[in-house]
Amino acid sequence: MKKYKYIAIALFSIGAVVAQDKKVVTINEVISIASTQTTAAQLADIKVKTKEFEWQVAKNKQLPDFKISGQYQRLSTANVELKLPVQGGGGDLKVNQLLLGNATLSYPLFAGFKVRNNIELSKNLVEAEKNTAEFTKEEVTHQAIQLYVNLYKAQQSQKLIQENQKRALQRVKDFKAMMDNGIIAKNDYLKAELQVSNYQIAYEEAVANEEILSYQLALLLKMNENSKFQINDSEMNLLENLSNSNERKDVRALTSQIEAAKNNVKIVKGNYFPAISLMTGYIAFDLQNVVTVSNAMNFGVGVSYDVSSLFKNNKEVKVAKSKVEELEYHLASLNDKVKIEIKSAETNFTLAKNQYKVYQEAVNQAIENFRIIKDKYDNGLADTNDLLDAETQQLQAQISEAYGKANILLKYMDLQAAQGTLLPSNKN
């Protein structure tokens, strides 16, 4: 008997201390942190910035190229033979240095529309990456919500088990006195002790489950790994107006990727055309004791054309078109998958609401059943097994009701995730 007394004291003392150290966290806080401060969310933002930089690089291809170069060279004993007549015979010329300066400006006039299409390709990839980032944030937020709801379930299990264990411990005490007075058999007393042990095992499992879930949630949200969370019942109410979007971000990302692939087809087709550029420059030249050239301006038009593209480029165009076709089939498959996920989520959400109503009725029935069995037991019309079974059924009904309430929120969030409305959309 002393063993169960110590169990009760330790159990409720630890519970009180832990409850004091727990941090109350709301589901809105979890959503906010998960979508902005998690490693996955921050990595997604960095990927978007990278694509934006690549877009700027593509835009820079429209700008002219301006290059400046200069050389100073020391020459060894150079043999210089002038073909032009020089007054005075020229004599021996000593040439041991060369100065050369050059500045060129090149502006692309036409490149088979490749520059423009490359800019559009990069722009579409930026949009694809933005939508991918939003989808990633929704996924990690959904994961955090699942941990949050399951953590609530673990805490509710502990709470309900503690309440029943308190009553079970009192029953053991009462049965011990009744057994000592010869009112009940030892077998009944042992059954009551067994129920306390079973409650203790269930409670320890719930505590361990909470410990694991708290660690996972804290790690995901980049909090102190030893953080403990307290979730209030009010947090299981539905959140309204989370978003007004009606399109999945992964669908939008894939659509942008298809547009980028189409831009790539145009870029590859651009290889059929010549490249034309406007060129101008300045040259300054000095060969010691021989010749000096200054103010040598030049300008003109440059044309380049890869003749082999007439034969080779056809295959590259086919490859680019095939990639577009692949992505289009992938999009069709994804749309079908989204429809299935939304339908399943809608059905499960409706089921969760219907189940909760049944769980509420079951709790009332279990409470009433336990009251009736308790009266019968007190009047000698029911045995110990009936009493303990009725109490266990009552506990199971209460836990199912708590889980059912949490499942409504969880299935609602599943539906929001399936529809792509878990987070506000950044689409302009």
Side-chain angles (χ1 to χ4, degrees):
M1 186 63 195
K2 290 183 178 180
K3 177 181 69 172
Y4 293 104
K5 180 179 180 181
Y6 295 146
I7 288 176
I9 294 174
L11 184 64
F12 299 118
S13 298
I14 294 173
V17 173
V18 172
Q20 292 176 357
D21 293 338
K22 287 182 178 179
K23 173 186 176 182
V24 176
V25 58
T26 67
I27 193 167
N28 281 325
E29 290 174 337
V30 170
I31 291 174
S32 176
I33 296 173
S35 61
T36 57
Q37 300 180 29
T38 56
T39 301
Q42 292 176 342
L43 176 60
D45 287 336
I46 292 175
K47 288 182 177 180
V48 171
K49 288 183 179 179
T50 300
K51 290 299 180 183
E52 288 176 340
F53 290 142
E54 291 176 354
W55 185 22
Q56 295 300 322
V57 170
K59 287 182 177 180
N60 289 340
K61 298 296 182 180
Q62 299 177 105
L63 303 177
D65 291 329
F66 182 65
K67 298 179 181 180
I68 298 177
S69 65
Q71 296 183 30
Y72 170 77
Q73 299 182 13
R74 293 292 297 179
L75 306 177
S76 60
T77 305
N79 297 322
V80 179
E81 181 180 354
L82 297 178
K83 300 299 182 181
L84 298 176
V86 180
Q87 289 184 347
D92 294 333
L93 297 177
K94 294 183 178 180
V95 181
N96 55 23
Q97 70 178 21
L98 170 66
L99 294 173
L100 177 64
N102 185 32
T104 59
L105 179 67
S106 176
Y107 182 77
L109 295 178
F110 179 75
F113 308 105
K114 288 190 286 186
V115 174
R116 184 182 66 187
N117 287 314
N118 194 49
I119 293 173
E120 288 299 313
L121 182 148
S122 296
K123 179 181 177 180
N124 284 317
L125 289 180
V126 169
E127 290 301 314
E129 196 62 51
K130 285 182 178 179
N131 286 306
T132 299
E134 289 187 50
F135 183 69
T136 299
K137 292 176 182 180
E138 284 200 342
E139 283 189 315
V140 70
T141 300
H142 190 207
Q143 180 183 355
I145 291 171
Q146 289 175 324
L147 290 172
Y148 183 85
V149 173
N150 288 332
L151 183 57
Y152 169 81
K153 291 180 180 180
Q155 292 179 354
Q156 289 299 304
S157 294
Q158 292 177 50
K159 178 182 176 181
L160 293 170
I161 292 171
Q162 277 185 318
E163 293 173 356
N164 281 268
Q165 191 170 36
K166 183 178 181 180
R167 184 165 56 245
L169 286 168
Q170 181 61 45
R171 182 180 298 113
V172 168
K173 181 179 179 181
D174 294 341
F175 275 25
K176 179 65 168 59
M178 295 169 68
M179 182 185 68
D180 292 342
N181 291 320
I183 300 175
I184 64 172
K186 184 176 182 180
N187 185 52
D188 290 336
Y189 170 72
L190 293 176
K191 289 177 181 178
E193 279 194 321
L194 178 60
Q195 186 180 53
V196 171
S197 298
N198 289 334
Y199 282 157
Q200 180 65 22
I201 292 173
Y203 179 80
E204 294 295 340
E205 289 177 349
V207 170
N209 194 25
E210 181 188 11
E211 184 75 16
I212 294 171
L213 291 168
S214 295
Y215 181 81
Q216 291 177 326
L217 185 60
L219 200 63
L220 181 65
L221 301 181
K222 300 180 72 172
M223 294 181 174
N224 188 309
E225 295 179 0
N226 296 320
S227 297
K228 304 297 180 183
F229 305 101
Q230 179 62 46
I231 304 175
N232 295 330
D233 290 344
S234 60
E235 294 303 318
M236 292 300 107
N237 297 327
L238 295 184
L239 301 178
E240 301 296 340
N241 300 322
L242 287 177
S243 175
N244 58 3
S245 172
N246 58 1
E247 187 178 5
R248 284 266 290 259
K249 279 74 173 181
D250 51 342
V251 173
R252 280 166 29 190
L254 188 53
T255 301
S256 295
Q257 290 176 8
I258 291 174
E259 293 303 313
K262 290 179 179 178
N263 294 136
N264 188 54
V265 173
K266 296 177 181 178
I267 292 172
V268 175
K269 285 183 176 180
N271 292 329
Y272 287 125
F273 300 95
I276 304 174
S277 59
L278 178 66
M279 297 182 297
T280 184
Y282 171 84
I283 296 177
F285 176 84
D286 179 65
L287 184 60
Q288 186 184 28
N289 298 325
V290 177
V291 61
T292 299
V293 179
S294 60
N295 296 326
M297 300 292 295
N298 61 84
F299 60 89
V301 177
V303 180
S304 65
Y305 185 69
D306 185 0
V307 179
S308 64
S309 64
L310 294 173
F311 310 99
K312 297 179 180 179
N313 203 52
N314 185 47
K315 298 296 183 183
E316 294 184 14
V317 172
K318 289 182 178 180
V319 170
K321 288 182 177 180
S322 181
K323 289 182 179 179
V324 173
E325 191 174 2
E326 285 180 15
L327 290 173
E328 288 176 339
Y329 276 108
H330 187 191
L331 179 60
S333 177
L334 180 58
N335 281 323
D336 290 341
K337 178 184 176 184
V338 169
K339 290 179 181 178
I340 294 173
E341 290 179 355
I342 292 175
K343 182 62 178 178
S344 297
E346 288 175 343
T347 303
N348 289 332
F349 179 47
T350 301
L351 175 63
K353 291 188 291 184
N354 293 335
Q355 285 179 330
Y356 183 60
K357 294 178 182 179
V358 176
Y359 291 144
Q360 288 178 309
E361 295 175 358
V363 168
N364 294 329
Q365 293 166 352
I367 292 174
E368 180 63 15
N369 179 62
F370 178 72
R371 185 191 66 80
I372 293 173
I373 296 298
K374 180 69 167 57
D375 288 342
K376 288 184 177 181
Y377 179 80
D378 292 340
N379 292 290
L381 300 176
D383 59 19
T384 301
N385 286 335
D386 295 332
L387 178 66
L388 298 181
D389 287 344
E391 186 177 70
T392 300
Q393 290 171 1
Q394 177 178 279
L395 174 60
Q396 290 173 343
Q398 291 171 331
I399 292 176
S400 295
E401 182 189 27
Y403 281 18
K405 182 179 180 180
N407 281 335
I408 293 178
L409 175 65
L410 182 59
K411 297 308 177 183
Y412 174 73
M413 292 301 183
D414 289 347
L415 177 58
Q416 294 286 307
Q419 292 176 333
T421 58
L422 189 58
L423 297 175
S425 175
N426 293 328
K427 185 178 181 181
N428 295 326

